[in-house]
Every structure is written in structure tokens, then in C-alpha cells.
Amino acid sequence: MVTTTMIKISSDIPGRIKVVFSYNPEYVAKIKMVKAHRWHPEEKYWSFPYSKPVLQDILSTFAGEDLDIDPSLQTGLLQNQRGKLTGHRSLRKEPFPEKAEGPGKDNNFLIERVRDLIRLKHYSIRTEKSYLSWIMRYFLFHNKRDPKEMANPEIEAFLSHLAVDLKISASTQNQAFNALLFLYKEVLKKDLDDSIDAIRAKKPKRLPTVMTKDETMKVIGAIPADHQLMIRLIYGGGLRLMECLRLRVKDIDFENNQILIRDAKGMKDRVTILPDSIKLSLREHLERVKLLHQNDISRGYGRVYLPYALERKYPNASLDWGWQYVFPAKSLSKDPRTGEIRRHHIHENSLQKAVKTAVRLVGITKPVNVHSFRHSFATHLLEANYDIRTVQELLGHNDVSTTMIYTHVLNKPGISVKSPLDV
């Protein structure tokens, strides 16, 4: 079965726009950026005041996603028929509808250039969706003016609007800023002034959430078996969420107790620990995955996504066992760029939900998520008196100052301090 994601936009509520989608943290973060949003927990949908600007903001926010739009929402933004609005020209070859309030007819070609350059530079599909969404929101914010006629003042106005009016986080604002920098410097080849004097969202300084060793093992024990192995790898080797999900069979070195993390943050490779305690269960898991792969091949499938130009250079490599994902999805899906049916890795949402449920079951009140296991990995190694440079290398940090943050959550951060109340 081929999976798909759909966002339904309708006018089921008088005077309001109704938006429904299956839980997705990325979608939730995006929809919260639209002003006047309201979450209805019992019916599990979002709603907004019915107006042309609000609908326009919703559409630009979810540009690049599959949208199922109610034909009654005729506000000059949509065509006179039900359909999907998508920013992926790889799935739909026609341009944006001329009658639709998209990024503007004159900017359609520019959007294509952005997309082509993103793919030429081998950016991820997540980055592609994010950059296209922000660039289209930028166009709409300035009434679809030609970006060649705009520069620092317009960028500053847009970024300030995000911080002041929409109250977005600093990381989200930086993401929008990076998208615009890519547009101007890489696509338009236009140098911006030295500084962008926009109101910037304040970045909070927070310590990472770290569990004790006992808490960590309790949560792991409460996670269902089909997700537990992934969490054990993340905690046992200090992996990031997507680093774990993107592991290939060939990257597991059982003989040397190592895991090779390829194209990690900053497009760097690194080596980390393969825990002895999970080697047997991991071998058994891979035997089951191999049977699944052989079954896919017998049905005429069995190919997997290959990075960069490897698929053109080695046409049959995508069928090789070594290139298969260690944690494949349960069903086949369509590649959003090529349309080819493949078996991708498991979706991150399922692991995030499993951890959230386990944390609730064991009664931990800390804001624990999947990344908390990586934080706990680093902290527990430092507690065991391992050298901070070694921990830095295992985590893949560029600067030791990044790793130093974990010393602040230790019981004894550098010196033994006793509370005056306990003296």
C-alpha cells in the first residue's frame, strides 16, 4: 500500500475555516504561525476566522504539501473545482494556476529555479519544502512584487513581521532568513548589504532535558518492542533522531562495535558506539528486514533512495541489501521528487509518539522527547568520567563549547558544591 499525507481545508463551520490533518509536529508548528488559530481538542481540528488574507496565509504556509480544498472556499484564491494545490512540479508539471493567489505568475519561473538549485546542491526534501514555503510567504507578504526590486528593507520588514506579529521562535525566524539568503545570494546572485536590521526573535538559553540512568531505562522499558530498538541505539550511541532512522545496513559494523553516521549535521561523517547489549536483537531485526526486502524484490519493488548521483552512477545499487534502511517503513510510498514507488525509512512521528506515551506511562514529568536520550547519553558519559573531547567526537560537535553545556546539568559541575541549607 502506498501512503500519502493530506491536509483538508473546508468551510464546515459557519464563518470559519476548518483545517484537518493527521498529527504531524511539523504541520502543527507551521499552523501555529497563522494568526488567530484555534485548536479544538475534542474534535481534533484547527479553525480560523473566514477571510481572504487568512486563507491566503494558510495556503502559503502549507505550500508544497498535498491540500484537499473545499470548493466552497471561493475567495479568488482557488480554481472553480476541487483539487490539490502542490508546490512540487515533479508531481505536477503545469505551472501555478493563473487565477490562484500563489506566488505570482511572474515568480513561477523563479520558484522553479529555487527548487532546481536546491536539488542540484543535494539539500534534503525537508529543506526544499521549508525554503519554498518561506519564499512564497515572502512574495505574498509584499503583494507578489518582483524580488529583484526588493532588498534589505523588504527582508527586514518580513522578518520583523514574523517576530512581532506572529511571535515565532528564534529558530523559525532564522529558518525564514536562511531561505531568503538562499534566494538572493544563490538564485538571484544579488549581494545584500552587510547587515539585516530586523527585529529578531529572542533565542532562549535553556539547559537540555536529561534523565537519570534509572529514568532512562524505565522509559525504554515502556516503549513497545517495534520502537524500543531504535531508542536503545539513540541512547547507546548518542544518535540524533534522523541519524537513527536514516541508518543503512552497511553502516552497522558488528565486528568493531561501531556505527558509521553518514551525512550528519553539517554534512559530516562520524563513528560512534554500537552497544554490545543490542547486537543480538539488532542482528535478528535485520534478518526480518532482509526477508521484507526480498519480498519487495519478488513483487517488482525493492529499490531505496540513494543520495546524490549514486543512482545514476550505479543503477542497481538501490536494490543492494547493504543500501537498505535498517528501520524501513511498514508500507511502500511514492518518492515526492521522482514519483517512484520505494520503501522509505520509518516516519519519525511514530517514534516520537511511542516515546511520549512511554514517558506518560512511567510518570515522568520532565519534558522528555527522543532527543533527550542523546542528551542523557552525553551526560551519563561525563558522569562516568569520560574525557569531554571523546564525548564531543561521539556527538559530532564542531566546538567543545557545545559539549560543555552538559557539564552544567551534572550533579557536580566542575567543583563539589554543597547547599548552605545542608551544611
Side-chain angles (χ1 to χ4, degrees):
M1 183 181 68
V2 179
T3 58
T4 184
T5 303
M6 181 72 69
I7 301 172
K8 186 175 182 181
I9 304 175
S10 65
S11 58
D12 295 349
I13 311 168
R16 296 188 70 81
I17 301 170
K18 181 178 179 181
V19 180
V20 181
F21 52 80
S22 299
Y23 176 73
N24 183 319
E26 182 181 347
Y27 291 171
V28 171
K30 285 184 176 182
I31 205 165
K32 285 182 178 179
M33 292 164 54
V34 182
K35 289 196 295 185
H37 62 266
R38 183 188 300 171
W39 168 243
H40 302 263
E42 294 183 359
E43 298 86 358
K44 298 189 183 303
Y45 69 84
W46 300 81
S47 71
F48 303 84
Y50 189 101
S51 70
K52 179 178 178 179
V54 171
L55 180 57
Q56 179 174 289
D57 200 7
I58 294 171
L59 294 181
S60 63
T61 296
F62 289 105
E65 308 293 348
D66 283 339
L67 305 183
D68 185 3
I69 307 170
D70 190 332
S72 65
L73 291 172
Q74 297 300 326
T75 61
L77 296 177
L78 309 172
Q79 291 179 311
N80 296 323
Q81 57 189 17
R82 189 181 185 90
K84 294 180 179 179
L85 181 66
T86 175
H88 287 295
R89 288 283 297 278
S90 59
L91 300 182
R92 194 189 66 173
K93 296 300 182 182
E94 68 273 22
F96 289 96
E98 292 187 14
K99 296 182 181 180
E101 294 280 353
K105 183 179 178 181
D106 294 339
N107 290 327
N108 286 342
F109 178 66
L110 183 59
I111 290 292
E112 284 304 300
R113 287 176 58 195
V114 173
R115 181 181 292 110
D116 291 343
L117 190 56
I118 285 175
R119 296 182 181 181
L120 182 65
K121 290 180 173 290
H122 307 296
Y123 286 12
S124 71
I125 186 69
R126 291 163 169 262
T127 303
E128 178 181 324
K129 286 183 178 182
S130 172
Y131 277 20
L132 291 177
S133 176
W134 283 118
I135 290 170
M136 285 190 278
R137 290 188 71 171
Y138 175 67
F139 290 161
L140 293 171
F141 180 78
H142 289 295
N143 298 315
K144 296 177 285 182
R145 286 175 57 194
D146 187 344
K148 295 177 183 177
E149 301 174 356
M150 300 187 286
N152 282 42
E154 288 78 15
I155 294 176
E156 291 167 3
F158 178 65
L159 295 176
S160 297
H161 160 71
L162 296 179
V164 176
D165 298 330
L166 301 187
K167 296 179 171 35
I168 65 173
S169 67
S171 60
T172 303
Q173 189 189 44
N174 285 336
Q175 188 183 69
F177 183 43
N178 289 336
L180 298 182
L181 283 180
F182 184 87
L183 169 67
Y184 279 93
K185 291 188 175 182
E186 302 292 341
V187 181
L188 297 177
K189 303 298 182 184
K190 183 176 180 180
D191 290 330
L192 300 173
D193 293 344
D194 292 338
S195 63
I196 301 293
D197 188 20
I199 298 175
R200 304 305 296 267
K202 188 174 181 180
K203 186 175 182 179
K205 294 182 179 180
R206 295 193 178 99
L207 292 176
T209 299
V210 174
M211 296 177 285
T212 65
K213 185 68 179 293
D214 184 57
E215 288 173 333
T216 303
M217 300 315 296
K218 282 182 178 179
V219 175
I220 291 176
I223 295 174
D226 56 341
H227 291 97
Q228 192 174 115
L229 183 58
M230 287 180 274
I231 289 298
R232 287 184 178 275
L233 265 179
I234 289 173
Y235 172 62
L239 278 66
R240 298 180 178 91
L241 170 60
M242 296 310 299
E243 289 173 352
C244 176
L245 301 188
R246 290 171 178 163
L247 277 178
R248 311 279 183 152
V249 174
K250 64 182 182 61
D251 297 330
I252 307 294
D253 187 347
F254 286 98
E255 299 302 321
N256 294 312
N257 288 358
Q258 292 181 344
I259 302 173
L260 178 58
I261 310 297
R262 295 189 181 275
D263 285 337
K265 194 172 182 179
M267 298 187 72
K268 297 179 299 182
D269 293 354
R270 77 175 190 277
V271 174
T272 190
I273 312 161
L274 173 62
D276 276 323
S277 59
I278 67 169
K279 288 174 68 174
L280 178 59
S281 55
L282 183 56
R283 287 184 186 275
E284 292 173 348
H285 168 78
L286 290 177
E287 288 176 4
R288 294 191 293 272
V289 173
K290 191 169 187 177
L291 291 175
L292 180 65
H293 175 55
Q294 291 171 346
N295 182 58
D296 285 345
I297 292 177
S298 67
R299 295 165 54 205
Y301 299 110
R303 292 189 178 273
V304 70
Y305 165 77
L306 296 183
Y308 311 123
L310 287 175
E311 194 157 12
R312 291 196 303 271
K313 190 174 182 180
Y314 306 106
N316 294 320
S318 60
L319 287 168
D320 288 350
W321 165 237
W323 277 103
Q324 303 306 306
Y325 287 112
V326 173
F327 301 107
K330 292 182 179 179
S331 57
L332 300 171
S333 59
K334 182 184 291 187
D335 188 300
R337 287 176 169 172
T338 65
E340 185 175 350
I341 304 300
R342 294 170 171 157
R343 189 176 295 277
H344 202 49
H345 59 67
I346 190 172
H347 198 281
E348 63 269 24
N349 285 359
S350 62
L351 185 57
Q352 290 166 337
K353 288 180 182 178
V355 170
K356 184 178 180 180
T357 302
V359 171
R360 187 168 58 248
L361 284 174
V362 299
I364 294 178
T365 56
K366 296 176 183 178
V368 172
N369 55 28
V370 175
H371 206 65
S372 300
F373 290 91
R374 175 174 158 90
H375 294 322
S376 300
F377 164 84
T379 305
H380 296 166
L381 286 182
L382 291 174
E383 285 178 333
N385 296 320
Y386 281 97
D387 180 74
I388 194 168
R389 294 285 184 179
T390 301
V391 178
Q392 174 194 357
E393 187 176 338
L394 292 173
L395 291 174
H397 289 160
N398 273 333
D399 197 316
V400 72
S401 63
T402 307
T403 318
M404 286 290 291
I405 191 173
Y406 297 109
T407 64
H408 296 292
V409 294
L410 294 174
N411 292 328
K412 298 179 181 179
I415 58 175
S416 180
V417 177
K418 209 167 191 178
S419 168
L421 188 64
D422 297 330
V423 175

